[in-house]
Amino acid sequence: NGAMVGLNATANYLTVIGGQVYLNSALTVQAGSAYFSGLAAQGAITIQAGANATLDNVMWTAGKINNTGNLILSKTIQYAGDFYYYATSTSASLSATGSVTATDGSIFHFSGQGNAEGSYNNGTVSVEGSFATSADVNVDGVLQIAGGALATAKGNIKTTKDIIVTKSGMLIAAINSTAMNISTNANLVVNASSQVVVQGSLSVASTTQLGAQSTLIVAKGYATSTALAMDAASKYVVTVFSNTTSRVLNVINNARLSGSLEVDIDASFTFGVGQTQTVMTYGAHAGTFATFSIKRDPDSVNYGTKSATVTRGTESSSSGMESDAFVPQLAILPIAFLAYFF
C-alpha cells in the first residue's frame, strides 16, 4: 500500500518505512534487528533469541507477540484491541521507550514463559517513555517504570512480581479521580526521585519500599501494604477528608517510619481545633517521621500502637512549612500526555 520495504542481507537488518503495511499473518524475526514503521498488526510476531524488533508508529488490533529476544515499543504505539506479549524465554524483554496509548476496553498483557496463563515469568516490562491507557495492564512478571510515566484513567495494573519505579519515574493511579487499581503479589519499590500517586487503590502483598528522594502520595485512595520501609530522604503524602481511617496507607504488619510526612486537609472537611486525624495505620511501627507539614494548623504527630495521627493546634506549627498544593511534580509531564486524562 505504497510502503517501502528494505532488506540489508549483510547487516541482517529489515526496515519497513512509510505507507501502510498490514500484518495479517505470522512474521518471524530470526536474527539481527527489525524496524517497523506504519504497521497495522493483526497477526503474530515471533522474535527469536538474539534478535531485536522495534515497533514505531504502529496500530495494533489483534495478534500476539512471542518473544525469545527483545521487543522495543518506540515513539508512538496505539492499540485498540488486545495486545498480548508472551515472553518465551527468561532473557526476553519488552521496553516502551516512546508513547504507548490504549483505548478503553482493550488490554495490555505481558505473560509468562511457556505458559498460556502466564503464571510464572522472569521477564521485565520496562516503561521508559509514556504509557497512557484506559485499559488494563496485566504483567505476569516485573513492571519497571524507569524514568518514564505509566498512567491509566480507568484500567487496572496487576503484577505477579515487583513493581519498580525508578530514575524519576511516575506511576499514576487515576489522575482524573476515576477509580483505578494497582496490585502486586510482591514488592512496590520506589526510589531515585520517583513517585507513586494513588487515587484509586493500591495493594502490595509484600513490602512498600520508599527509597531516597521517593514519594508515595495517597490522595483519597485506598492503600494497603503488608509492610513499609521508608528511607530518611523519602516522603509520605496523604489527604485527610473525613473521619475515616480507610483512605490512608494501611500497613498490616510493621511500618518502619522515617523521612517526611505531608498532610493535606481537603477543603470540604473542617479540621477543628484539638481534633485528631489518622494519617496511617499499622500493626506495629519503628521510628518516626523526621519532619512533617500540614496545610491547616498542625500541632503534633502522635504515634500510637496501631496508628499515627495528627492533632490541630491553635497556631500554625513550626515543624514544617504549610503545604497549599500537593502533587506539584505532575507539571513535569508533557501537556499532551496530561490532556489524555481530562
Side-chain angles (χ1 to χ4, degrees), residues 86 109-122 139-141 160-161 185:
Y86 287 85
H109 194 150
F110 178 88
S111 72
Q113 51 167 339
N115 188 333
E117 298 299 324
S119 61
Y120 62 95
N121 176 259
N122 292 320
V139 180
D140 296 322
T160 59
K161 294 192 176 179
N185 289 344

Side-chain angles (χ1 to χ4, degrees), residues 243-262:
N243 293 305
T244 178
T245 61
S246 61
R247 295 192 180 186
V248 298
L249 176 59
N250 298 281
V251 183
I252 298 172
N253 294 329
N254 187 60
R256 194 179 73 203
L257 304 179
S258 189
S260 63
L261 166 69
E262 289 188 7

Side-chain angles (χ1 to χ4, degrees), residues 71-88:
L71 174 65
I72 300 172
L73 307 180
S74 174
K75 295 183 181 177
T76 302
I77 307 294
Q78 294 180 309
Y79 63 99
D82 293 341
F83 192 112
Y84 285 97
Y85 174 88
Y86 287 85
T88 54

Side-chain angles (χ1 to χ4, degrees), residues 6 19 29 43 55 69 74 97 126 137 142 149 153 175-176 178 182 186 194 197 232 245 264 266 299 302 324 338:
V29 181
L55 303 183
S74 174
T97 61
S126 178
V137 178
V142 177
I175 194 171
N176 64 350
T178 303
I182 302 173
S194 299
V197 183
T245 61
D264 185 22
D266 189 81
D299 181 64
N302 315 294
D324 291 325
L338 288 174

Side-chain angles (χ1 to χ4, degrees), residues 128-160:
E128 298 176 9
S130 61
F131 198 120
T133 174
S134 57
D136 286 348
V137 178
N138 293 335
V139 180
D140 296 322
V142 177
L143 172 62
Q144 175 171 285
I145 297 96
L150 191 155
T152 178
K154 282 188 177 181
N156 303 309
I157 296 175
K158 301 177 182 179
T159 74
T160 59

Side-chain angles (χ1 to χ4, degrees), residues 2-294:
M4 178 181 70
V5 179
L7 175 62
N8 188 321
T10 303
N12 205 13
Y13 195 96
L14 172 65
T15 304
V16 182
I17 301 176
Q20 186 69 61
V21 178
Y22 295 93
L23 175 62
N24 295 313
S25 59
L27 172 68
T28 300
V29 181
Q30 294 183 338
S33 299
Y35 177 85
F36 301 94
S37 178
L39 176 67
Q42 295 184 5
I45 295 179
T46 298
I47 309 166
Q48 297 188 351
N52 301 281
T54 300
L55 303 183
D56 170 12
N57 191 23
V58 170
M59 169 60 77
W60 192 276
T61 56
K64 300 177 180 179
I65 296 177
N66 302 290
N67 186 37
T68 309
N70 299 295
L71 174 65
I72 300 172
L73 307 180
S74 174
K75 295 183 181 177
T76 302
I77 307 294
Q78 294 180 309
Y79 63 99
D82 293 341
F83 192 112
Y84 285 97
Y85 174 88
Y86 287 85
T88 54
S89 168
T90 58
S91 62
S93 68
L94 182 150
S95 178
T97 61
S99 174
V100 180
T101 303
T103 58
D104 191 9
S106 58
I107 186 171
F108 178 93
H109 194 150
F110 178 88
S111 72
Q113 51 167 339
N115 188 333
E117 298 299 324
S119 61
Y120 62 95
N121 176 259
N122 292 320
T124 299
V125 174
S126 178
V127 179
E128 298 176 9
S130 61
F131 198 120
T133 174
S134 57
D136 286 348
V137 178
N138 293 335
V139 180
D140 296 322
V142 177
L143 172 62
Q144 175 171 285
I145 297 96
L150 191 155
T152 178
K154 282 188 177 181
N156 303 309
I157 296 175
K158 301 177 182 179
T159 74
T160 59
K161 294 192 176 179
D162 291 350
I163 297 177
I164 302 171
V165 189
T166 187
K167 297 181 181 178
S168 300
M170 299 184 71
L171 176 60
I172 307 171
I175 194 171
N176 64 350
S177 298
T178 303
M180 194 280 290
N181 306 308
I182 302 173
S183 62
T184 171
N185 289 344
N187 301 301
L188 172 63
V189 182
V190 191
N191 55 41
S193 301
S194 299
Q195 298 181 62
V196 173
V197 183
V198 181
Q199 288 181 314
S201 71
L202 170 69
S203 177
V204 181
S206 187
T207 301
T208 298
Q209 303 173 20
L210 300 182
Q213 309 304 321
S214 69
T215 305
L216 173 63
I217 302 170
V218 180
K220 300 185 180 181
Y222 297 86
T224 302
S225 182
T226 297
L228 171 69
M230 295 183 65
D231 182 86
S234 65
K235 182 186 298 184
Y236 169 56
V237 180
V238 63
T239 298
V240 174
F241 65 99
S242 66
N243 293 305
T244 178
T245 61
S246 61
R247 295 192 180 186
V248 298
L249 176 59
N250 298 281
V251 183
I252 298 172
N253 294 329
N254 187 60
R256 194 179 73 203
L257 304 179
S258 189
S260 63
L261 166 69
E262 289 188 7
V263 181
D264 185 22
I265 308 300
D266 189 81
S268 64
F269 178 64
T270 301
F271 192 22
V273 174
Q275 189 172 0
T276 296
Q277 289 295 312
T278 299
V279 293
M280 181 186 296
T281 67
Y282 40 68
H285 84 92
T288 60
F289 298 110
T291 61
F292 71 91
S293 61
I294 307 180

